Amino acid sequence: MQNIAVIGAGTMGRGIAYSAAAAGLSVIVQDVSNTSLHNAEEDIRKQFERAVRKEWVSKEMADERRDTIQFTTEISEAAKDRDLVIEAVLEIMELKTSIFKQLDDLTPPHAILATNTSTMSPTEIAAQTSRPEKCLALHFFNPVPKMKLIEVICGLETSEDTINKAIGFGKSIGKECVKINEFPGFAVSRMNCLIGNEAMNMVMEGVGTPEDIDKAMKLGLNHPMGPLELADLVGLDTRLRNMHYLYETLGEKYRPCPILTKYVKAGRLGRKSGKGFYDYT
């Protein structure tokens, strides 16, 4: 598991790529957008600079590992000769299954295919390939370089060998792994989306301001970040897609809060748009 490809150069993809490269693995990042690739390259450069300032790594080693990362718009270039390919695109099932179909044709037979989905079925995604036993979900958390956990989610036909290799990969990049059997929302997202949605309902009902609700959760339950701050960080559009999926699969208690739908329609997507439950401008 030395040669890694990351499909998607957004926030999660670039975080995964940095973490793997920082651990000394060979990394290729693919995205259809040159702009996204450029932004990813800049962000990864800043991450390595920060690591040098913190004295986690020497400048020479940081430069060496950063320079080994390749960036491409061609999925065929990214997929060849890879041991592990991690898809990190939008939470849209049709997009993920389309990518997995391509990867199945382009990667070597031994390659493991992983989706970074936070809610969607790795079994359904794997069914689009000829190697479901080599497919699973690796759910990283934002921001990837800081967050220690990877949920290793097993699909219906994921083999023990694939699970063990995935956990070995996680350990090799300094992460703790938990093995989760597939069910909608897995473990963390299932709980986190419910907490965040209830916090949004409380804002809508006038129970408290976003600031006070987040403060209550941080000081009262020792959460490192309030649920509304976290939703803004993840992206309210992403959270809404997750809530729709959980509502469809798990029922009424996951019905998206109306204020979440309203904010997304208004373009208030959180940090990435400059405004969500908080103003970042």
Side-chain angles (χ1 to χ4, degrees):
M1 304 287 281
Q2 292 296 307
N3 301 306
I4 313 300
V6 179
I7 309 301
T11 299
M12 297 304 294
R14 67 188 65 168
I16 295 167
Y18 165 77
S19 297
L25 304 183
S26 169
V27 179
I28 298 177
V29 182
Q30 186 272 339
D31 198 286
V32 295
S33 166
N34 278 310
T35 299
S36 293
L37 289 172
H38 172 75
N39 291 340
E41 190 169 5
E42 282 297 299
D43 187 66
I44 290 170
R45 178 182 61 79
K46 290 176 183 177
Q47 289 285 352
F48 274 109
E49 289 175 353
R50 180 175 182 271
V52 172
R53 288 197 304 272
K54 294 286 187 178
E55 298 183 344
W56 296 335
V57 66
S58 69
K59 185 177 185 306
E60 293 74 20
M61 182 173 287
D63 290 344
E64 176 186 334
R65 292 185 174 177
R66 182 198 65 217
D67 291 343
T68 62
I69 305 174
Q70 301 175 58
F71 298 87
T72 181
T73 57
E74 299 297 327
I75 194 169
S76 58
E77 180 67 22
K80 69 178 184 181
D81 301 325
R82 297 288 103 179
D83 303 314
L84 170 65
V85 181
I86 303 171
E87 164 270 306
V89 302
L90 294 175
E91 291 283 82
I92 301 171
M93 180 60 79
E94 293 78 11
L95 179 58
K96 291 178 181 293
T97 55
S98 173
I99 289 171
F100 264 64
K101 287 178 183 177
Q102 294 177 70
L103 293 175
D104 190 37
D105 291 335
L106 296 169
T107 52
H110 76 276
I112 291 173
L113 308 182
T115 174
N116 180 52
T117 183
S118 57
T119 56
M120 293 183 173
S121 167
T123 297
E124 182 176 351
I125 296 169
Q128 312 306 313
T129 76
S130 62
R131 60 180 98 180
E133 74 284 355
K134 294 184 180 295
C135 298
L136 77 172
L138 293 179
H139 180 203
F140 292 79
F141 294 83
N142 188 23
V144 177
K146 292 182 180 179
M147 300 297 283
K148 291 294 185 183
L149 180 66
I150 302 175
E151 279 186 302
V152 178
I153 298 100
C154 314
L156 180 63
E157 298 191 42
T158 307
S159 71
E160 283 298 319
D161 181 63
T162 295
I163 294 166
N164 291 335
K165 286 178 178 177
I167 291 173
F169 161 73
K171 290 179 179 179
S172 76
I173 64 171
K175 305 297 185 186
E176 295 285 339
C177 296
V178 291
K179 178 185 172 183
I180 302 294
N181 292 318
E182 181 188 335
F183 203 80
F186 314 141
V188 176
S189 292
R190 185 173 174 179
M191 291 186 284
N192 183 48
C193 284
L194 200 60
I195 293 169
N197 206 51
E198 190 60 25
M200 293 173 197
N201 281 320
M202 291 165 69
V203 171
M204 184 178 67
E205 293 161 359
V207 174
T209 65
E211 292 85 355
D212 283 340
I213 290 170
D214 278 344
K215 185 176 182 180
M217 295 296 287
K218 289 187 285 187
L219 300 182
L221 295 179
N222 205 27
H223 288 197
M225 179 180 286
L228 300 168
E229 293 175 284
L230 180 58
D232 273 358
L233 177 64
V234 169
L236 299 187
D237 52 341
T238 298
R239 177 58 62 85
L240 182 59
R241 282 192 292 269
N242 290 341
M243 291 304 302
H244 278 308
Y245 180 78
L246 292 173
Y247 175 53
E248 291 169 1
T249 53
L250 295 178
E252 184 62 30
K253 64 183 176 180
Y254 287 94
R255 180 187 292 273
C257 175
I259 200 172
L260 173 60
T261 302
K262 183 185 294 185
Y263 278 15
V264 172
K265 287 181 177 179
R268 292 176 60 164
L269 308 181
R271 287 181 180 269
K272 61 186 174 184
S273 71
K275 194 171 188 179
F277 285 95
Y278 294 88
D279 192 336
Y280 301 95
T281 57

